[in-house]
Amino acid sequence: MKKPVPKMRRLTIPALLCCLPLAAAAEPTVWHENTSIRASQADVTVSGRVLDDKGQPLPGVNVVVRGTSNGTQTNSDGQYTLTAPENATLVFSFVGYTSQEVALNGRTTVNVALGSDTKALNEVVVVGYLSINREQVTGSVSKVSQEDIRRSPVASVTEALQGRVAGVQVNNSGAPGQNPIVNIRGIGSIALNSNPLYVVDGVWTSDIRDINPSDIESTTILKDAASLAPYGSRGANGVILITTRRGKLGKPAINFNAYGGVQNIPKTYDLADTQKWADVTRMMYTNAGQTPFAGAANPPAINTDWQKALFQSGRVQNYSLGLSGASEFANYNISGSYFNQKGTIVGPKFDRYSLRLNSGITRGKFHMDQSAQLSRAFTKRVNGIPFIDVIRMLPIIPVYDPTTVSGFGFGNTNQVTFGTNPVGLQKVYNDTNTENRLIASLAPEINIFDFLRYRLNLGMEYLSFQDRNERKYGQAGGLRMNEPVRPAELFEGRGDRLFLLAENTLNFQKSFGNHNVNAVVGYTEQKNTYKFTNATAQGFGTGPTYYWSLGAATGSSSVDGGTRRWTKRSYLAQVAYDYDDRYLLTGAYRHDGSSLVDPANKWGDFFAFSGGWRISKEAFFSGVSGISDLKLRASYGELGNDQLPEYLSFGLINSNVNYPFNGTVVNGAIQNQLASKNLKWESRATTNIGFDLGLMENRVTLAADYYISKTKNALVNPAIPFFEGNVGVNPYTNLGRLENRGFEFQLGYTSDPQKDFRYGVSANLTTLKNRVKELAFEGQNYPGGPSGVARTEAGQPVGAFYLMHKLGIFQTQADVDAHKVQPSAKPGDVKYEDINGDGQITDADRRFTGSPFPKLQYGLNLNFGYKAFDLTAFLQGVQGNDIYNVTRYWTDRMDDNGNFRADLNPWTPSNPSTSTPRPLLGGGLNASPLSDRWLENGSYLRLKNVQLGYTLPKTLLERVKGIGSLRIYLTGQNLLTATKYTGYDPEIVGAGPLARGVDEGNYPNLRTVTAGIQLGF
């Protein structure tokens, strides 16, 4: 007779998912044939104490009744109490110690001593599609601790990574909602972006701004080819793996974290007041032989402080609430968070809401993990370049002017300037972005045999967005003098993006004596679809009240839209082999096919291999004292970069163009983008040599690497004239070569964590040399920044500064005559070097001078603890880079109607300055932006983060039923900065990939002070 199948086994996968939280919280059911019964035993109260192998109490040990979620943790004295069935088995577990199972057999007192588990101390690292012990890693892999991320009250995890990992450069901005710029081992591309790939719980993405940092369990950075090869055509720029939190064994836990604080701009310019401004302006006009305008000749009794009008005290707050738990069969983690940032200038702000649900279930040989985060982010953007205009606007112009249509002051014939009112610009424009994002994965796996496992990873990222820009009626094009009055206008763009991922992998893991093999083969597919619709309409009245709806417009309107898709199919293999834990070999291969490159070249092969030798495991090394681990490693591989726009291999035609023909208007078409023919994969070959050293039972660790990264077949897109039939993206071709090389060092020390006084130190240092080896043709270059102050050319770094060299200031007419090459100059003008020796100063006298890449990047993390108190301090800095200071250009050019520095001391016959020329309206070479006058040392050392915390002792919390932990803390960010740079902030995001060292009014990083609480139930 056939036995009936138990009902539980008939549940579908969706039904199991819905039941996960309940399953995790419930006790397991014992199945007998087709009937379920619950074992019935008398409950008893059990208590005891847990010590380590040195006899010291162990706080925080998990004590769980085996097979249930019923459990507790030991207090600061290692003591515990819980209720359990009289014949139950207790499981004692703690990170770094061997777990123990103890049967009660009717006992009510159980004391346990846990021994150190050296095997557990070997951290497991995810490298590609394999999980291996850190001691077996042969590539360059770094991890950022969970505590380091959580102790930095920042909006995104990328901000918390800055300065903590050798080889990873992060440039932040204080603008609300703006993503930092992240480069791993320099820029790997010329025409494409060099952003790393982020993998969140198995889902590939390029944007993790909306991931709540409190949800993160671990962050791993993969830097060399050996660790990146499994990602093939997307691995060239590095990969950052993020794993989010899951429930732990024990009673359900509730965690609440909150912090709030204030932000401000750390530095302001000391600008000229009305009298000083008028004095310099009159000199500027007089030296040019012209009559000053009325406001300068007879300045009014007004002295506007534009920085005070624009800057304000910002605000930041964050709240996170989570519920988690696990049993032997299931786990769950549910969390929600809210983050809010009010900008430090009038207008901008950022809001983010997020909800996360992670769960997992295990049933025999079957296991499945599920992760999902739903977020909504709202950003009110910065309009214009306020950090330039705030120092450019004249002190005699009021912020508000009722005589103008817009109601804001911006200059007239008595207040001559073409600066923009930065306050008015933030209020006239309402430029916002709203994004709803879902990142989710579902990963069932089955153990076919003990050594063979199949896993299916299904991932998706769905983004729905709305861009909206409302422009009020008035001089709204820029709030500048002579700006025409424009009708109110509304732009609205809506769209969505759906990324789908399916990965099938088969993992083999088995030992044959001293031979250990961990391998995976897989087949994957990816698909990305992007749809958008844009509409613009004018005519919404003249205010002050507006009805912002596209259907309410009375003026002209336009609409466009489209759909873009790309797909990728891949085959992969990865293997890690070791013999007796001494000799290590790894290899990886990926065969990628993508619709982004030319159909004839759509398949690319990417690979890497590496080796390691654990010298410390050799018999001859056993007598060496003090060294606990020593490993040599080396790797080589070639990776790709597929960050291309869609449809480059096809010419694009605009079919909606009207032409006059024989006196009538007819519809026609025009080619607006030429095809990029024969595109090949851009590849990056990386060689890495390094070693890992552990001393004093690995309390002291050192990792050192030397790398050479060479980009081959680099894509470049030189500009071509419009008459060739191209007004869109310039065609790409594979003619560039690029190289990055440098050293990386990571050093750390950790004291005994069980002592009352504990401390730790970690430091990292990175060197980087970037060079362009080849471009499309000899002499080809790419300008970058305003007026092309930066240039990318073979033999130089990407975006190197290309400027005229200032020799000094002409003091007398004799100096002018002796120099010969500037015959029209006068005493007080800038003297330039005639580099090419042709007897005149022209654009040909520019030279490469200065690099945007730091020669050194470094970070220092200090942490101290004494009993319940903890203190952390993190310093970060760069050395040896240059910054082109556009802000200084505007305050010191003295040829334009703008404001000046208060301490500006220009040349006059009675003040023969050797650094600052004479004021001169239309000042010619004196005010040339192509001068190294505006190039400054960008080195800095910054106290990035400091935090003082206090954790209430368990003995106090036990008096308040239900509270398991309570910590309060005070944090300061960017409190101190040591630098010679005179701009608002030496840490800049730059003016694009080819002008990364240009400070074109970048939003500075903010000084932040916050107070917070971490509460556990």
Side-chain angles (χ1 to χ4, degrees):
M1 180 177 178
K2 189 177 181 179
K3 296 179 181 180
V5 179
K7 294 181 180 179
M8 180 66 178
R9 296 178 184 174
R10 292 193 184 114
L11 287 175
T12 62
I13 289 177
L16 285 173
L17 283 175
C18 295
C19 297
L20 284 178
L22 296 177
E27 297 181 11
T29 301
V30 182
W31 295 96
H32 297 277
E33 299 294 337
N34 62 335
T35 308
S36 64
I37 61 175
R38 187 180 298 277
S40 177
Q41 299 175 5
D43 288 343
V44 296
T45 300
V46 184
S47 60
R49 198 176 189 208
V50 181
L51 306 176
D52 63 13
D53 48 8
K54 297 178 182 178
Q56 298 297 315
L58 276 178
V61 176
N62 291 314
V63 185
V64 182
V65 177
R66 189 177 67 184
T68 76
S69 59
N70 177 26
T72 187
Q73 288 187 337
T74 58
N75 62 18
S76 58
D77 294 323
Q79 297 174 337
Y80 72 93
T81 301
L82 83 165
T83 301
E86 58 184 0
N87 293 323
T89 296
L90 301 186
V91 180
F92 298 82
S93 61
F94 191 58
V95 175
Y97 292 83
T98 304
S99 298
Q100 285 194 32
E101 295 187 4
V102 180
L104 290 182
N105 296 326
R107 289 182 295 171
T108 58
T109 301
V110 176
N111 297 319
V112 172
L114 297 183
S116 298
D117 182 4
T118 56
K119 193 172 183 179
L121 292 173
N122 292 329
E123 183 181 26
V124 174
V125 178
V126 177
V127 180
Y129 292 84
L130 294 178
S131 296
I132 56 180
N133 289 335
R134 171 170 284 282
E135 62 184 14
Q136 296 173 320
V137 173
T138 55
S140 182
V141 178
S142 299
K143 290 194 75 170
V144 177
S145 75
Q146 182 183 11
E147 285 303 312
D148 283 343
I149 292 175
R150 292 185 185 173
R151 291 190 176 184
S152 300
V154 292
S156 68
V157 63
T158 44
E159 295 179 63
L161 295 180
Q162 186 178 30
R164 299 188 184 276
V165 178
V168 179
Q169 184 176 7
V170 181
N171 292 91
N172 290 317
S173 164
Q178 182 168 325
N179 267 324
I181 304 296
V182 181
N183 292 134
I184 297 177
R185 292 185 167 179
I187 291 179
S189 184
I190 299 171
L192 308 183
N193 79 59
S194 295
N195 300 332
L197 167 68
Y198 301 95
V199 182
V200 181
D201 292 331
V203 181
W204 294 28
T205 182
S206 57
D207 184 0
I208 59 170
R209 182 197 66 174
D210 298 335
I211 301 293
N212 177 19
S214 297
D215 287 338
I216 293 176
E217 182 70 33
S218 65
T219 303
T220 305
I221 296 94
L222 311 180
K223 297 182 288 185
D224 77 323
S227 56
L228 295 168
Y231 301 97
S233 61
R234 189 64 176 88
N237 298 324
V239 176
I240 298 178
L241 304 177
I242 294 175
T243 303
T244 57
R245 300 174 65 186
R246 296 189 174 273
K248 302 292 192 301
L249 279 173
K251 290 182 178 180
I254 299 175
N255 293 287
F256 174 73
N257 300 325
Y259 65 80
V262 295
Q263 297 181 314
N264 59 68
I265 295 171
K267 174 184 177 179
T268 59
Y269 270 86
D270 186 11
L271 296 173
D273 59 14
T274 294
Q275 190 58 53
K276 175 64 180 287
W277 164 82
D279 291 343
V280 176
T281 301
R282 285 195 296 268
M283 281 193 287
M284 183 174 73
Y285 273 78
T286 301
N287 289 337
Q290 298 189 33
T291 302
F293 59 91
N298 298 291
I302 183 175
N303 189 21
T304 301
D305 186 336
W306 284 97
Q307 291 179 113
K308 185 176 180 180
L310 178 67
F311 299 168
Q312 63 184 14
S313 178
R315 180 185 67 241
V316 62
Q317 55 184 324
N318 182 79
Y319 307 93
S320 298
L321 179 64
L323 170 66
S324 63
S327 72
E328 186 178 349
F329 304 105
N331 65 76
Y332 65 93
N333 178 44
I334 306 170
S335 66
S337 70
Y338 170 66
F339 178 87
N340 167 261
Q341 183 181 10
K342 173 189 173 185
T344 50
I345 67 172
V346 173
K349 65 177 181 177
F350 177 65
D351 284 281
R352 183 185 65 210
Y353 306 82
S354 69
L355 177 66
R356 173 166 292 280
L357 172 61
N358 288 357
S359 63
I361 186 169
T362 301
R363 210 64 171 171
K365 293 187 175 184
F366 176 80
H367 177 78
M368 182 167 61
D369 283 329
Q370 170 272 327
S371 299
Q373 174 173 298
L374 178 64
S375 62
R376 179 179 176 87
F378 172 82
T379 307
K380 186 175 181 183
R381 298 185 176 111
V382 177
N383 295 302
I385 312 176
F387 289 93
I388 294 295
D389 286 311
V390 76
I391 56 93
R392 187 180 176 189
M393 287 296 284
L394 309 183
I396 63 170
I397 298 177
V399 177
Y400 300 96
D401 186 351
T403 65
T404 66
V405 174
S406 63
F408 294 97
F410 47 79
N412 51 46
T413 55
N414 294 322
Q415 307 163 342
V416 179
T417 183
F418 289 97
T420 299
N421 184 324
V423 177
L425 201 62
Q426 309 311 312
K427 294 187 175 184
V428 167
Y429 283 84
N430 183 30
D431 187 7
T432 63
N433 167 259
T434 303
E435 294 185 348
N436 299 307
R437 188 189 305 266
L438 172 64
I439 299 180
S441 64
L442 183 66
E445 62 181 50
I446 185 168
N447 292 322
I448 303 172
F449 303 106
D450 290 341
F451 58 86
L452 190 63
R453 184 177 73 254
Y454 167 76
R455 176 182 173 89
L456 171 64
N457 178 38
L458 300 174
M460 67 169 292
E461 180 181 15
Y462 177 74
L463 171 67
S464 173
F465 66 89
Q466 179 190 33
D467 289 311
R468 187 179 175 91
N469 193 346
E470 302 162 356
R471 189 190 71 200
K472 297 178 182 177
Y473 174 78
Q475 291 92 350
L479 291 183
R480 291 187 295 267
M481 189 177 73
N482 297 340
E483 186 73 30
V485 174
R486 299 188 181 184
E489 182 178 275
L490 172 64
F491 166 83
E492 189 166 332
R494 293 176 180 266
D496 60 70
R497 183 175 67 86
L498 177 62
F499 171 76
L500 298 174
L501 167 73
E503 296 180 323
N504 298 270
T505 54
L506 196 62
N507 181 257
F508 175 88
Q509 190 169 6
K510 193 172 178 63
S511 296
F512 305 91
N514 289 329
H515 301 273
N516 305 299
V517 179
N518 189 357
V520 65
V521 293
Y523 168 76
T524 80
E525 288 198 1
Q526 299 177 20
K527 181 179 180 180
N528 189 82
T529 304
Y530 172 72
K531 300 178 181 179
F532 68 96
T533 302
N534 298 329
T536 303
Q538 295 181 339
F540 294 91
T542 59
T545 303
Y546 297 88
Y547 178 57
W548 295 112
S549 175
L550 289 169
T554 60
S556 61
S557 63
S558 63
V559 63
D560 72 330
T563 300
R564 291 179 173 269
R565 292 188 180 92
W566 61 260
T567 57
K568 182 189 293 185
R569 178 174 295 171
S570 309
Y571 303 89
L572 65 94
Q574 186 181 5
V575 61
Y577 164 82
D578 74 84
Y579 174 78
D580 197 26
D581 208 21
R582 287 182 289 166
Y583 310 115
L584 316 170
L585 293 173
T586 62
Y589 169 76
R590 187 168 181 127
H591 186 55
D592 276 336
S594 172
S595 64
L596 290 170
V597 295
D598 192 282
N601 303 313
K602 70 178 181 179
W603 289 100
D605 296 293
F606 308 95
F607 66 91
F609 50 85
S610 62
W613 179 25
R614 296 194 69 199
I615 302 176
S616 55
K617 287 290 185 178
E618 297 287 357
F620 66 79
F621 204 83
S622 60
V624 180
S625 62
I627 299 180
S628 47
D629 186 43
L630 176 59
K631 177 175 62 179
L632 302 181
R633 46 186 170 78
S635 68
Y636 174 82
E638 295 188 7
L639 309 167
N641 185 359
D642 65 355
Q643 299 298 283
L644 283 164
E646 299 91 341
Y647 312 128
L648 285 179
S649 298
F650 305 94
L652 301 183
I653 295 176
N654 185 353
S655 59
N656 188 27
V657 180
N658 294 323
Y659 293 92
F661 185 73
N662 291 334
T664 61
V665 176
V666 296
N667 187 261
I670 184 174
Q671 178 172 293
N672 60 5
Q673 182 173 306
L674 295 176
S676 300
K677 293 295 185 180
N678 301 316
L679 282 185
K680 299 178 182 179
W681 291 97
E682 181 177 281
S683 62
R684 191 173 182 182
T686 302
T687 301
N688 193 95
I689 301 172
F691 70 86
D692 298 314
L693 175 66
L695 305 173
M696 302 169 57
E697 297 183 352
N698 285 342
R699 291 196 184 280
V700 177
T701 58
L702 171 64
D705 290 89
Y706 174 70
Y707 66 90
I708 302 175
S709 171
K710 298 181 178 181
T711 300
K712 301 186 297 183
N713 293 324
L715 288 163
V716 295
N717 58 336
I720 62 175
F722 290 165
F723 62 77
E724 294 283 350
N726 192 83
V727 295
V729 176
N730 289 315
Y732 286 78
T733 184
N734 297 93
L735 288 178
R737 291 192 300 118
L738 184 66
E739 181 180 281
N740 293 279
R741 62 173 64 206
F743 291 92
E744 296 174 356
F745 302 95
Q746 194 100 22
L747 177 66
Y749 172 77
T750 304
S751 68
D752 187 346
Q754 302 300 323
K755 293 185 177 180
D756 284 346
F757 178 70
R758 54 206 179 273
Y759 61 94
V761 180
S762 64
N764 66 80
L765 178 69
T766 302
T767 71
L768 173 65
K769 184 178 181 181
N770 172 274
R771 283 292 182 273
V772 178
K773 292 296 186 178
E774 182 182 338
L775 286 178
F777 52 83
E778 186 176 354
Q780 173 70 35
N781 64 74
Y782 292 90
S787 302
V789 298
R791 175 174 288 189
T792 298
E793 184 176 295
Q796 300 295 330
V798 174
F801 298 106
Y802 190 62
L803 303 166
M804 295 187 297
H805 179 54
K806 172 193 167 191
L807 295 174
I809 305 295
F810 290 117
Q811 298 298 322
T812 64
Q813 186 60 45
D815 290 341
V816 175
D817 297 338
H819 191 53
K820 296 182 181 178
V821 297
Q822 293 175 253
S824 61
K826 302 293 183 184
D829 287 344
V830 178
K831 180 195 297 184
Y832 289 103
E833 182 180 1
D834 181 17
I835 292 175
N836 68 347
D838 65 354
Q840 56 185 334
I841 302 299
T842 65
D843 189 70
D845 291 305
R846 295 163 67 186
R847 68 179 182 182
F848 286 101
T849 173
S851 169
F853 293 94
K855 294 180 180 178
L856 295 177
Q857 306 168 46
Y858 55 90
L860 177 64
N861 195 29
L862 309 171
N863 63 82
F864 306 92
Y866 180 71
K867 293 185 177 180
F869 288 93
D870 61 85
L871 174 66
T872 61
F874 175 57
L875 296 94
Q876 176 265 333
V878 300
Q879 184 74 33
N881 64 301
D882 298 291
I883 299 176
Y884 184 90
N885 189 348
V886 178
T887 306
R888 186 67 174 257
Y889 166 75
W890 283 104
T891 60
D892 287 28
R893 57 184 292 181
M894 296 181 296
D895 75 323
D896 180 80
N897 292 317
N899 205 0
F900 316 103
R901 289 183 290 115
D903 60 350
L904 188 68
N905 195 18
W907 186 96
T908 65
S910 60
N911 177 45
S913 172
T914 59
S915 60
T916 308
R918 62 182 180 134
L920 180 66
L921 186 67
L925 290 177
N926 281 358
S928 172
L930 302 177
S931 167
D932 61 3
R933 283 184 62 194
W934 327 111
L935 195 65
E936 300 185 23
N937 186 344
S939 305
Y940 70 87
L941 170 62
R942 171 166 285 168
L943 180 58
K944 196 68 182 177
N945 193 81
V946 61
Q947 185 178 99
L948 175 65
Y950 177 74
T951 303
L952 271 67
K954 292 278 187 180
T955 52
L956 292 178
L957 294 178
E958 287 172 354
R959 301 176 185 178
V960 183
K961 189 175 181 180
I963 298 181
S965 62
L966 176 60
R967 178 176 178 268
I968 55 177
Y969 60 90
L970 182 67
T971 305
Q973 292 175 280
N974 302 321
L975 297 182
L976 299 171
T977 302
T979 184
K980 294 181 179 179
Y981 182 62
T982 63
Y984 280 109
D985 183 14
E987 182 187 334
I988 63 170
V989 296
L994 301 182
R996 60 183 293 127
V998 176
D999 182 1
E1000 197 172 17
N1002 288 180
Y1003 202 123
N1005 283 266
L1006 307 175
R1007 180 183 291 123
T1008 306
V1009 177
T1010 58
I1013 182 172
Q1014 297 171 340
L1015 186 61
F1017 298 92

